[in-house]
Amino acid sequence: MLCLKRKKLLPPEATFREVWKNGDLATKLSFVIMGAAQLKNKQWLKGIIFLLTEVVFFAWLVLGGLATISGLSNLGVNKTIHRTVDAQGYPITVQPDASLPILLYGVLALIVVGLLIYIYYVSLKSTRHLYALNRDGKHIPTTKDDLKSLMDERIHQTLMAIPLIGILIFTVLPLMINILVAFTNYDFKHQIGFSWTGFEAFGKIFTQGNIAYTFFSLLAWTIIWAILATFTTFFFGVLLALLIESKGIKYKGVWRTLFVIVFAMPQFMSLLMMSQFFADGGPINTWLQNMHIISANNPIPFLSDPIFAKATVLLVNMWIGIPVSMLLATAIIQNISQDQIEAARIDGANTFQVFRSITLPQILFVMTPALIQQFVGNINNFNVIFLLTGGGPLNANFYQAGSTDLLVTWLFNLTMKGGIANYNIGSAIGIFIFIVVAGFSLITYRRTNAFKEGSN
């Protein structure tokens, strides 16, 4: 009650309306000229930064910023190569306008405008704060005070500045470009000059012939793959951890180390090696032929038959993923209270009942967020498919895809492989994958016990 009373006694924070109505001339000018109030109150560094930011921004806007932003409306006027004549009458070839740089610089210009709006809001908040300090007769921080604050109680803001700039340039900007490309006709027919086409690319992946058939087939396989890949690595990883931690097993550290070596080896080396082992003429088929188990003319099609290839990628993924689950499960099992297990055994519980009622619930409680992460990772598991099968075997009914391709590897095929640059369709698929993955992650994670207990 005392804290509530003290809060009520504090003067209310000034509103922007009050600042505009009751502020002095410099304060009112700050709504138009950033930094005016700061300079008037001798906050020289802050005032100069605000003022220079506004001057540089409007100079850039006049000299080229507006033209750059307006270029987003049509991504360039000239869309095709054509011949014409110059001022002297000589024939020349006019190339299409480079739409991708126009899009890139236009989006970057919008980000700059957004940053200016944010800086303007920060300047207004600073002006409001100065007004409140003057109104209440309190000390006005000097430039020295502000610098000291940035290196002390506001050090987190100072240290976050560079990472935030990096995120804007290397994450937000490419993400916005990728999203916007989905609404254009940027493909192998329009690699230089392309135009806005709305939702045409989305219509193709959902309704257009073999593209739609490929999309829904690979979507089904991607979901099946993600579920099976996550379940198998989790189940056998937990089983392996239980076996190693069982009483009577000697040299537990040695066994764990052997499996950790599999995890420590670079994944691409393991996958490339496995692709050679399982090839039709690879060591496994050769050994089976030498043992007269199979004939030389009928090798087991580990990678050349659609069903065998899918089973093979699941098997190899288990080889790579089980050690990770084993390490996580081992740490959990070693921290389970043995008193609880002994009490259950005294009550007559057998090994399976102890596992079902005590061990498994605690493993799931801790590992559920990791399982969600593994599931999401498996949806986008490019390495296993690309390095082991290359998406093959080829499927004649698919558009630029093989039988083991996931949506993410199909996206790669559409944009980078075979010279077929369907960037718009690839971007639309990327947006769809993001929506599915983000939606699933948010919904499932918020339903986990770990999240519910953490939010309490």
Side-chain angles (χ1 to χ4, degrees), residues 367-387:
M367 286 190 64
T368 296
L371 287 175
I372 295 172
Q373 182 182 5
Q374 288 182 21
F375 180 83
V376 171
N378 283 322
I379 289 179
N380 293 309
N381 198 332
F382 181 87
N383 290 344
V384 172
I385 302 298
F386 184 78
L387 295 175

Side-chain angles (χ1 to χ4, degrees), residues 20 231 245 250 253 263 273 298 310 327 391 450:
W20 172 258
F231 173 78
E245 291 300 315
K250 297 181 179 180
F263 173 63
M273 180 184 66
N298 293 295
K310 290 179 179 179
L327 291 174

Side-chain angles (χ1 to χ4, degrees), residues 16-17 19-20 26-33 120 124 127:
F16 289 119
R17 184 176 180 179
V19 174
W20 172 258
T27 301
K28 292 180 179 180
L29 279 176
S30 294
F31 283 81
V32 180
I33 303 175
Y120 175 72
L124 286 184
T127 300

Side-chain angles (χ1 to χ4, degrees), residues 199-418:
F199 291 91
E200 182 179 310
F202 294 92
K204 287 182 178 180
I205 65 174
F206 288 117
T207 61
Q208 183 173 315
N210 61 342
I211 296 179
Y213 176 75
T214 305
F215 172 75
F216 287 109
S217 299
L218 296 187
L219 174 61
W221 162 237
T222 299
I223 294 174
I224 293 171
W225 151 263
I227 293 173
L228 291 178
T230 304
F231 173 78
T232 52
T233 54
F234 168 74
F235 177 80
F236 289 105
V238 171
L239 180 62
L240 183 61
L242 288 171
L243 291 175
I244 294 176
E245 291 300 315
S246 298
K247 292 182 179 179
I249 298 294
K250 297 181 179 180
Y251 311 114
K252 296 180 180 181
V254 175
W255 295 114
R256 281 194 292 268
T257 302
L258 290 174
F259 287 99
V260 169
I261 291 174
V262 177
F263 173 63
M265 180 180 291
Q267 193 180 90
F268 80 94
M269 291 179 57
S270 300
L271 294 172
L272 290 175
M273 180 184 66
M274 289 291 184
S275 68
Q276 297 300 316
F277 281 175
F278 285 105
D280 288 353
I284 295 177
N285 272 312
T286 301
W287 178 78
L288 292 174
Q289 292 166 11
N290 294 335
M291 296 296 294
H292 302 290
I293 298 174
I294 61 175
S295 65
N297 297 326
N298 293 295
I300 299 177
F302 291 110
L303 303 178
S304 55
D305 178 81
I307 302 300
F308 274 93
K310 290 179 179 179
T312 302
V313 294
L314 284 169
L315 182 65
V316 173
N317 184 71
M318 288 169 57
W319 170 255
I320 295 172
I322 282 175
V324 181
S325 298
M326 180 208 70
L327 291 174
L328 292 173
T330 298
I332 300 168
I333 292 169
Q334 290 178 346
N335 285 279
I336 294 176
S337 173
Q338 293 300 312
D339 294 339
Q340 190 177 9
I341 295 176
E342 292 299 328
R345 292 192 180 280
I346 292 173
D347 290 338
N350 56 32
T351 302
F352 177 75
Q353 290 172 328
V354 170
F355 172 75
R356 184 187 63 184
S357 302
I358 299 176
T359 308
L360 182 60
Q362 295 196 43
I363 290 175
L364 287 175
F365 176 80
V366 177
M367 286 190 64
T368 296
L371 287 175
I372 295 172
Q373 182 182 5
Q374 288 182 21
F375 180 83
V376 171
N378 283 322
I379 289 179
N380 293 309
N381 198 332
F382 181 87
N383 290 344
V384 172
I385 302 298
F386 184 78
L387 295 175
L388 188 61
T389 68
L394 291 176
N395 190 319
N397 297 319
F398 286 174
Y399 179 77
Q400 297 293 318
S403 297
T404 57
D405 268 319
L406 304 177
L407 287 177
V408 66
T409 57
W410 185 39
L411 189 156
F412 176 81
N413 294 340
L414 289 172
T415 56
M416 301 297 294
K417 191 175 178 181

